[in-house]
Amino acid sequence: MLSYYCLFYLGAVVRELQKTVRTEKYHYWKMVVAFLILVLCNQIGSIALDENRYENPVFLLVVSICGWVLLYEVAQELKKKKLLADAIVCCGQNSMAIVVLHFLCFKIISLVGVVVYNQPREGIAAFPVLYEQGAWWIAYMFAGIIVPVFLSVMWKKLKGKQEKRYSVVK
């Protein structure tokens, strides 16, 4: 439990430092170095915070800092890509729909696979997915994200039109 507090405190310290020091220098190098350290650490050990298990406190600290640096620098880079940034924001705004509907949307891909491979329809009931090998995960990922976001956006638009239609504002 103490490790969570230490990481939280580390985040607060980094946030304060970030307010005073922000350099755009070595942007890509920071990403590459952080990634390489994480790959190396993955070979050395693992972290399971849900079990409060990690190799040692230094390992936890190094991996946490490198993970944060990598995510932060990638996020800074993504902010420059308007279309991608907008897509990520849209997913964030519709995250509840993704969480609620993604398993159901996986069934669409399973149905396509059952039809294409002429398999028994009972295969659609496989949980969480029917096909686990190959590149099927890409199709499942897109179905589990795009379909719920699309349904959520359409629902909000229809709901907005209904509210305007029955509005009693004079």
Side-chain angles (χ1 to χ4, degrees):
M1 186 62 125
L2 181 63
S3 57
Y4 300 116
Y5 294 120
C6 291
L7 293 175
F8 183 80
Y9 180 71
L10 177 65
V13 169
V14 168
R15 179 69 176 158
E16 288 303 315
L17 286 173
Q18 184 184 15
K19 289 178 182 176
T20 58
V21 179
R22 173 68 184 138
T23 63
E24 292 296 326
K25 289 182 180 181
Y26 315 116
H27 176 66
Y28 291 106
W29 282 108
K30 287 190 270 185
M31 281 194 292
V32 170
V33 169
F35 178 76
L36 291 175
I37 291 172
L38 287 171
V39 169
L40 176 67
C41 287
N42 188 42
Q43 302 302 313
I44 295 171
S46 64
I47 295 174
L49 286 179
D50 59 329
E51 300 171 6
N52 201 26
R53 182 180 50 79
Y54 44 89
E55 301 306 313
N56 60 56
V58 174
F59 183 82
L60 176 66
L61 193 62
V62 168
V63 169
S64 298
I65 291 171
C66 288
W68 181 86
V69 167
L70 179 63
L71 286 175
Y72 182 79
E73 295 301 333
V74 167
Q76 293 302 314
E77 192 60 31
L78 289 178
K79 280 187 353 186
K80 298 175 186 174
K81 314 281 190 267
K82 178 89 171 100
L83 183 62
L84 190 57
D86 290 346
I88 292 171
V89 166
C90 184
C91 286
Q93 291 172 339
N94 295 289
S95 59
M96 187 56 74
I98 294 170
V99 168
V100 171
L101 297 173
H102 73 280
F103 283 128
L104 186 61
C105 294
F106 289 167
K107 302 303 175 191
I108 297 168
I109 302 303
S110 295
L111 175 64
V112 169
V114 164
V115 170
V116 168
Y117 294 130
N118 199 19
Q119 295 177 330
R121 283 183 275 161
E122 292 82 18
I124 299 169
F127 183 81
V129 296
L130 178 59
Y131 305 105
E132 296 179 0
Q133 270 67 41
W136 282 99
W137 68 271
I138 297 171
Y140 282 115
M141 178 189 66
F142 281 114
I145 296 172
I146 292 173
V147 174
V149 168
F150 175 76
L151 292 173
S152 178
V153 168
M154 296 315 306
W155 175 260
K156 288 174 184 174
K157 286 188 180 201
L158 289 173
K159 187 177 165 188
K161 286 182 180 179
Q162 290 296 330
E163 288 174 359
K164 286 180 185 175
R165 180 188 291 174
Y166 297 111
S167 177
V168 290
V169 177
K170 295 181 181 184

